[in-house]
Amino acid sequence: MNPLETNSTYSNYVDKKTPNSPIGKNCFNAFWVGGLICIIGQIIFDFAQYCGFETTQANTIVSIVLIGVAAILTGLNIFNKIGKFAGAGSLIPITGFANSIVSPAIEYKSEGYVMGVGAKMFTVAGPVLVYGISTSILVGIIAVLFGG
């Protein structure tokens, strides 16, 4: 049997068995859910400024509220359902970060608080943090060297 025939036969079989992904629908859901999260953040920001907080304080309040809500929704297994529906739209950086910290912590809780939660909490977010911090240090050094 010719290997090319085997590969094409297998590819045809996979194409028949694999459901087509509704790309347009997925993009639309990601767009409106991500936009809704951003609108909620803007409402929290406007409310904080209405209450008399300065811009930097209002930004901090928005971050704290969005992280807290995303962590709670992850703990209640609601964020995962939102993620399945909205895809990348639910991964607006701050809510996605909260989810990436809380999910492994919940998953490894059975291994104990130190070796489970403490050791595994940053398995997903850890590389992102290392890359982000390393890049910011490098950019800072370049800025200092070249008078930025």
Side-chain angles (χ1 to χ4, degrees):
M1 184 181 275
N2 184 354
L4 292 176
E5 287 179 11
T6 305
N7 288 341
S8 65
T9 304
Y10 179 72
S11 294
N12 291 336
Y13 174 76
V14 169
D15 290 340
K16 289 178 185 175
K17 294 293 182 181
T18 305
N20 290 334
S21 177
I23 294 172
K25 178 182 162 219
N26 291 346
C27 290
F28 178 74
N29 288 341
F31 177 78
W32 79 262
V33 171
L36 181 64
I37 293 170
C38 292
I39 289 170
I40 291 169
Q42 186 65 48
I43 290 169
I44 296 167
F45 177 80
D46 291 343
F47 182 73
Q49 283 200 316
Y50 174 78
C51 291
F53 291 100
E54 296 178 16
T55 301
T56 54
Q57 294 170 325
N59 287 332
T60 303
I61 290 169
V62 171
S63 298
I64 290 169
V65 170
L66 288 178
I67 288 171
V69 168
I72 290 168
L73 291 177
T74 299
L76 297 173
N77 200 30
I78 295 172
F79 196 88
N80 292 337
K81 292 175 184 172
I82 295 170
K84 284 181 182 177
F85 175 76
S90 64
L91 298 179
I92 302 296
I94 200 157
T95 55
F97 178 76
N99 178 261
S100 70
I101 296 292
V102 175
S103 290
I106 292 170
E107 184 177 344
Y108 293 104
K109 182 181 169 201
S110 62
E111 295 181 24
Y113 287 108
V114 175
M115 296 308 290
V117 175
K120 304 289 186 175
M121 187 181 318
F122 293 102
T123 54
V124 175
V128 175
L129 290 172
V130 169
Y131 178 76
I133 292 168
S134 301
T135 303
S136 65
I137 290 170
L138 183 62
V139 168
I141 290 170
I142 292 171
V144 167
L145 291 176
F146 293 105

